[in-house]
Amino acid sequence: QTVVTQEPSFSVSPGGTVTLTCGLSSGSVSTNYYPSWYQQTPGQAPRTLIYNTNTRSSGVPDRFSGSILGNKAALSITGAQADDESHYYCVLYLGRGISVFGGGTKLTVL
Amino acid sequence: EVQLVESGGGLVQPGGSLRLSCAASGFTFSTYWMNWVRQAPGKGLEWVANMNEDGGQKYYVDSVQGRFTVSRDNAKNSLHLQMSSLTADDTAVYYCARWKRDCTNGVCYGGYFDYWGQGTLVTVSS
């Protein structure tokens, strides 16, 4: 069973930079997994931020960026703002129609 | 404007059945894979099932295999999820989500969830 790992929580100061990661319990994440990232605030549907590792979805500010760092996918937020306080989920595509979500990272801006 | 509107959620007893629907508009429904994603109360997102453009391919997460059936009606721009043998672990908000793939010369790669509905709550309880 494929397990996608994310930090359960993270905090960042307003204006600061934070990097959230997305790994595999076994193996390395590469662009071949087409990593994508989603933001979700309580009571709302997820919002698509990043796809294909590093492509921003329409309307997403350029302070959000995606990359591969070492053996993980990464979501970086530069110049964090109060309304960035959310849950962030990564998704890895395993092929044959199968996608797996990470457990999510709760980001606090304080 | 792309819209996905889920319906059919509600309270059901353990062992019962429920059928969810997702009404799609604003895009050519028959040219997209479609997915169901769920979120248990206070928990993370979990991919549940999907179906390709013509309904010929269906995939499920292991925990619902054999109990849930995904289907679609391209003439009515709708996606469905028939759920049976429900347990408390199936209690969740169920989201309908469109899957966008990159295709070049007829070959498609990867993909991501590009549009989401607002979800419908399924509660399994006696």
Side-chain angles (χ1 to χ4, degrees), chain A residues 1 33-34 36 38 40 43-48 50-52 57 89 91 93 96-104, chain B residues 33 35 37 39 43-47 50 59-60 62 95 99 101-102 109-119:
Chain A
Q1 182 181 357
Y33 285 94
Y34 302 92
S36 53
Y38 305 84
Q40 188 185 35
Q44 298 296 314
R47 171 198 181 196
T48 306
I50 300 287
Y51 62 93
N52 287 352
S57 187
Y89 295 92
V91 170
Y93 179 65
R96 296 181 296 109
I98 309 296
S99 297
V100 181
F101 281 85
Chain B
W33 283 67
N35 295 259
V37 174
Q39 186 169 36
K43 303 297 185 181
L45 298 164
E46 179 184 38
W47 173 79
N50 65 8
Y59 299 95
Y60 302 90
D62 287 349
Y95 295 101
W99 184 254
R101 299 190 298 167
D102 286 330
Y109 303 91
Y112 64 103
F113 304 104
D114 66 342
Y115 284 95
W116 300 73
Q118 285 302 307

Side-chain angles (χ1 to χ4, degrees), chain B residues 1-2 12 20 29 36 39 46 91 96 111 117:
Chain B
E1 177 192 6
V2 172
V12 60
L20 306 183
F29 181 73
W36 289 100
Q39 186 169 36
E46 179 184 38
T91 294
C96 170

Side-chain angles (χ1 to χ4, degrees), chain B residues 56-75:
Chain B
Q57 298 179 56
K58 310 175 187 183
Y59 299 95
Y60 302 90
V61 68
D62 287 349
S63 60
V64 308
Q65 184 80 40
R67 300 188 300 121
F68 289 11
T69 302
V70 61
S71 63
R72 65 191 296 162
D73 184 339
N74 286 342

Side-chain angles (χ1 to χ4, degrees), chain B residues 18-107:
Chain B
L18 207 59
R19 186 180 191 239
L20 306 183
S21 296
C22 170
S25 61
F27 65 101
T28 306
F29 181 73
S30 62
T31 63
Y32 286 88
W33 283 67
M34 295 297 296
N35 295 259
W36 289 100
V37 174
R38 68 184 178 183
Q39 186 169 36
K43 303 297 185 181
L45 298 164
E46 179 184 38
W47 173 79
V48 174
N50 65 8
M51 173 172 277
N52 75 329
E53 296 90 339
D54 65 8
Q57 298 179 56
K58 310 175 187 183
Y59 299 95
Y60 302 90
V61 68
D62 287 349
S63 60
V64 308
Q65 184 80 40
R67 300 188 300 121
F68 289 11
T69 302
V70 61
S71 63
R72 65 191 296 162
D73 184 339
N74 286 342
K76 296 182 177 180
N77 293 338
S78 60
L79 179 74
H80 305 283
L81 186 67
Q82 178 68 46
M83 306 184 295
S84 62
S85 302
L86 288 163
T87 73
D89 289 342
D90 298 314
T91 294
V93 174
Y94 285 74
Y95 295 101
C96 170
R98 193 177 82 168
W99 184 254
K100 177 73 168 65
R101 299 190 298 167
D102 286 330
C103 299
T104 303
N105 296 327
V107 180

